[in-house]
Amino acid sequence: MDDTVVDQPVRLTSWVHGRVQGVGFRWWTRARALELGLTGYARNLVDGRVEVVAEGPRERCDTLLDLLRSGSTPGSVDTVVERWTPARGDLAGFAER
């Protein structure tokens, strides 16, 4: 694969299902994303899920997705649904919303 394609930033949007609200999950996700140099946010949804949006190199976003699914998160993750799109470049830092 062409290196320029691999280096293109991507946007990962993931919806984390399980017992992930009120357990420090967003804080933990923010810490991992910042360690990976990603921008974005994690926010609680009214249905109990947490939405995680992260932008950066595909490899680092893949690492964050693996961490979300790792079983080492706060709370209890049942499943993670993901969507990949081109990066928009409209995010700065990584916020808990």
Side-chain angles (χ1 to χ4, degrees):
M1 184 181 276
D2 185 354
D3 283 343
T4 57
V5 173
V6 172
D7 292 340
Q8 291 297 313
V10 296
R11 177 178 281 225
L12 166 65
T13 304
S14 54
W15 295 273
V16 184
H17 301 247
R19 190 175 60 80
V20 290
Q21 290 190 10
V23 294
F25 186 87
R26 290 178 301 146
W27 177 89
W28 181 90
T29 300
R30 177 179 180 270
R32 301 297 78 77
L34 290 172
E35 289 170 357
L36 291 165
L38 300 173
T39 59
Y41 60 87
R43 69 176 175 161
N44 288 337
L45 300 177
V46 294
D47 63 6
R49 296 176 299 163
V50 170
E51 179 183 56
V52 178
V53 175
E55 283 193 1
R58 173 68 189 238
E59 182 180 338
R60 292 182 186 182
C61 287
D62 275 328
T63 299
L64 180 62
L65 185 59
D66 289 344
L67 288 166
L68 294 175
R69 292 179 168 148
S70 69
S72 63
T73 66
S76 175
V77 173
D78 294 334
T79 191
V80 179
V81 178
E82 69 192 80
R83 180 179 69 202
W84 296 94
T85 54
R88 297 182 197 166
D90 59 349
L91 302 167
F94 202 96
E96 291 176 61
R97 294 186 177 171

